[in-house]
Amino acid sequence: MMVDQVLTVRCKLAPTDTQAKSIEETLVVFADACTWINHNVDPKVKGGIKMQYLIYQDARETFGLSANLTIQAIRRVASNR
């Protein structure tokens, strides 16, 4: 029997001031997108796939997030419902 080994890397980031500002701005936009998605999708909708179908394109256009971050925002809202 083969056992999978899980490795974890722990490191400290040392971004430049410009990078730190960019990261902070992205986090704020991501949080705003999550709030917007939560308010613009019927509370009865709890599944991420259904939610993605309903709001993905509007969320991308509204917040300018990458495809991956948009999907992650939708999944976060779905998992918190």
Side-chain angles (χ1 to χ4, degrees):
M1 180 166 89
M2 201 166 169
V3 177
D4 290 333
Q5 182 179 13
V6 176
L7 300 175
T8 303
V9 175
R10 183 175 169 180
C11 62
K12 184 175 181 177
L13 297 178
T16 64
D17 290 341
T18 304
Q19 291 169 328
K21 184 178 179 197
S22 180
I23 292 167
E24 182 63 32
E25 289 171 355
T26 301
L27 292 172
V28 169
V29 172
F30 182 84
D32 290 345
C34 289
T35 301
W36 184 85
I37 291 164
N38 191 45
H39 286 94
N40 286 282
V41 175
D42 187 339
K44 295 175 191 168
V45 177
K46 298 187 186 322
I49 301 297
K50 173 81 174 191
M51 198 177 294
Q52 179 180 332
Y53 174 78
L54 294 171
I55 202 92
Y56 173 81
Q57 201 61 42
D58 289 338
R60 284 240 23 220
E61 291 171 4
T62 302
F63 294 95
L65 291 172
S66 68
N68 184 33
L69 286 177
T70 304
I71 296 298
Q72 294 306 315
I74 292 168
R75 286 184 180 166
R76 170 142 327 157
V77 172
S79 70
N80 286 326
R81 284 190 169 185

